[in-house]
Amino acid sequence: MTQSPPKHGLQTRIVHPHDDLTPGFESFSVPVARASTVIFPDLATMRALDWRNDAQWRYGLHATPTSIALAQRLAALEGGHHALLQPSGLSSISNVYFAFVKSGDDVLIPDNAYSPNRDHGDWLARDFGVSARYYDPMIGARIADLIQPNTRLIWLEAPGSVTMEVPDIPAITAVARARNVVTAIDNTWSAGIAFRPFEHGVDISVQALTKYQSGGADVLMGATITAEQTLHHKLKLARMRMGIGVSSDDCSLILRSLPTMQVRFQQHDRTALALATWLKTRPEIAAVLHPALPDCPGHAFYQRDFTGAGGLFSVVFDKRYSPAQIDTFCESLELFAIGWSWGGAASLVMPYDIASMRSASDWPHGGTLVRFYMGLEEEADLRADIEHCLNALAG
Ligand SMILES: *Cc1c(COP(=O)(O)O)cnc(C)c1O
């Protein structure tokens, strides 16, 4: 994507990427290059290999023309310069930890982080001599009070998984920069198209490509994206040492979906916003936690920093309904599957017990939270399905 003319918009550049990894052969698709062995023309070439050099082919685990094509497109999409691929979003998170944190170091994690990220932090704290501390996602510039001399990494997630608070990202990254602490954002919710992390002072962006980039609910992959070479090299070295790589077949599936990601995202966004706005009018619902709507903490930061929302949001039911009643509501929905890993075409639903998931901030709601992922079905059908089950709940 490096050679595409800058006069074109993002969506045009995704459709016409102009990478030149297979000279002499042109098609709209990227060939699937499968390799463990990469053959060197002579020993001098092998001996001159430098792991820092992204232009050298070294070993199939590290990169193939297919994986590099995907990495380059993801970096360009996110507004960064370097991307590395990992076999899941969680392994991208793990790659960041192992690149920047060692025994004796301290990490700050938002209280509403993706649960397996919390679990990863707890694991490092329990077994690897790291300190992992949790912060109120709405802390803003007051994060300065939590930074210690040994704090190496601050995680951000915008909005937070499940509870959807939108943090004041520039306030946090400004403090982190001044104190020399690396910041990493889990930017999966925005797909890298509705929030530009490097324009807001973030050092590393993590994407679970499993979600919108795949779009098919059938591939697992993740990426770490940076705009700065020193950070990229640290991530690259940790990735190499841990033996992390991805399959070119999987890369090819994601490359196939990437040109349609923005239109899919916009369609999810339209349906989700319409249904979130409607749910707000229902007496069974106490709060709608959608960043584009005023009930959501950090709504003003969303309006300032984001350009769209996609399909994922949550609602809090009135506390007169028991968790068992909400379970019944979720199970009675016909078009919403019960399962993780949103980003595909089909709608999903999941209830959560939030109080058991946090430790550093209060959860103000008494009712049960339900997270919806609005898929690509007809909006009217999704609405009728929810309406029917809400009526059953109320009646
Ligand atoms: C799904 C998800 C991940 C992890 O992705 P996997 O590929 O399933 O490991 C990380 N962060 C967020 C916010 C996610 O939604």
Side-chain angles (χ1 to χ4, degrees):
M1 200 117 105
T2 40
Q3 294 151 35
S4 32
K7 65 178 158 78
H8 292 144
L10 180 61
Q11 178 59 28
T12 304
R13 285 184 284 129
I14 294 171
V15 174
H16 295 273
H18 292 296
D19 39 27
D20 196 17
L21 294 161
T22 47
F25 180 81
E26 262 203 79
S27 77
F28 286 112
S29 69
V30 177
V32 178
R34 294 198 193 95
S36 52
T37 305
V38 170
I39 303 167
F40 306 116
D42 47 46
L43 288 170
T45 307
M46 182 275 290
R47 291 191 178 116
L49 287 175
D50 177 357
W51 67 267
R52 287 174 199 83
N53 188 339
D54 287 337
Q56 289 174 338
W57 303 113
R58 180 190 180 88
Y59 189 46
L61 177 66
H62 302 153
T64 66
T66 320
S67 73
I68 291 292
L70 177 57
Q72 288 182 354
R73 290 177 199 194
L74 292 169
L77 215 151
E78 194 108 2
H81 300 305
H82 315 276
L84 294 163
L85 303 175
Q86 295 86 6
S88 66
L90 182 56
S91 61
S92 305
I93 291 171
S94 182
N95 198 153
V96 172
Y97 275 112
F98 280 92
F100 294 98
V101 180
K102 62 182 185 325
S103 134
D105 290 346
D106 174 59
V107 186
L108 291 169
I109 304 166
D111 212 16
N112 57 0
Y114 175 66
S115 293
N117 185 347
R118 267 190 91 106
D119 185 55
H120 203 299
D122 291 343
W123 175 51
L124 294 180
R126 199 170 52 243
D127 292 349
F128 293 85
V130 168
S131 136
R133 292 180 298 142
Y134 296 93
Y135 68 88
D136 179 343
M138 302 316 290
I139 198 167
R142 285 181 297 111
I143 192 105
D145 302 338
L146 296 182
I147 296 177
Q148 301 173 166
N150 65 339
T151 304
R152 294 283 170 269
L153 175 66
I154 298 174
W155 276 104
L156 295 153
E157 198 171 321
S161 273
V162 187
T163 50
M164 298 289 156
E165 300 92 338
V166 182
D168 186 348
I169 297 164
I172 294 176
T173 57
V175 170
R177 286 257 154 121
R179 302 284 290 272
N180 239 333
V181 181
V182 170
T183 51
I185 189 167
D186 186 332
N187 199 24
T188 302
W189 184 83
S190 87
I193 51 184
F195 177 73
R196 315 287 293 159
F198 308 114
E199 290 167 21
H200 294 84
V202 178
D203 293 319
I204 299 158
S205 180
V206 167
Q207 286 290 339
L209 309 176
T210 309
K211 308 293 165 56
Y212 292 120
Q213 288 82 355
S214 150
D218 56 356
V219 193
L220 287 144
M221 204 179 292
T224 51
I225 299 151
T226 55
E228 207 259 299
Q229 197 166 51
T230 312
L231 297 168
H232 171 62
H233 285 163
K234 287 196 168 170
L235 289 160
K236 193 177 179 188
L237 189 58
R239 179 181 182 274
M240 201 164 68
R241 286 177 169 157
M242 290 193 287
I244 291 177
V246 296
S247 109
S248 290
D249 295 88
D250 288 350
C251 291
S252 137
L253 290 171
I254 295 179
L255 281 162
R256 196 173 194 270
S257 297
L258 221 46
T260 61
M261 177 167 75
Q262 187 156 298
V263 284
R264 285 185 279 112
F265 186 88
Q266 287 163 351
Q267 181 59 34
H268 288 291
D269 194 356
R270 271 192 291 277
T271 303
L273 188 57
L275 292 174
T277 305
W278 164 69
L279 279 162
K280 178 69 189 141
T281 66
R282 291 290 308 203
E284 300 86 0
I285 304 296
V288 175
L289 303 175
H290 184 303
L293 297 177
D295 273 4
C296 192
H299 168 63
F301 302 134
Y302 169 83
Q303 285 185 304
R304 185 189 65 189
D305 299 338
F306 286 69
T307 56
L312 197 71
F313 71 91
S314 296
V315 300
V316 182
F317 277 80
D318 190 283
K319 59 179 181 298
R320 70 179 175 270
Y321 303 113
S322 70
Q325 284 178 292
I326 304 304
D327 285 357
T328 303
F329 164 82
C330 293
E331 289 178 344
S332 344
L333 290 163
E334 195 187 329
L335 296 174
F336 291 80
I338 296 173
W340 286 301
S341 214
W342 44 275
S347 292
L348 302 173
V349 68
M350 189 66 77
Y352 287 89
D353 171 20
I354 300 302
S356 72
M357 292 165 64
R358 28 181 85 203
S359 59
S361 52
D362 289 332
W363 176 243
H365 302 285
T368 298
L369 180 145
V370 168
R371 186 173 77 173
F372 288 107
Y373 169 64
M374 297 302 175
L376 298 176
E377 301 91 340
E378 307 271 343
E379 179 196 315
D381 292 334
L382 295 177
R383 177 175 161 154
D385 191 15
I386 298 173
E387 193 164 31
H388 174 76
C389 296
L390 284 177
N391 292 341
L393 176 71

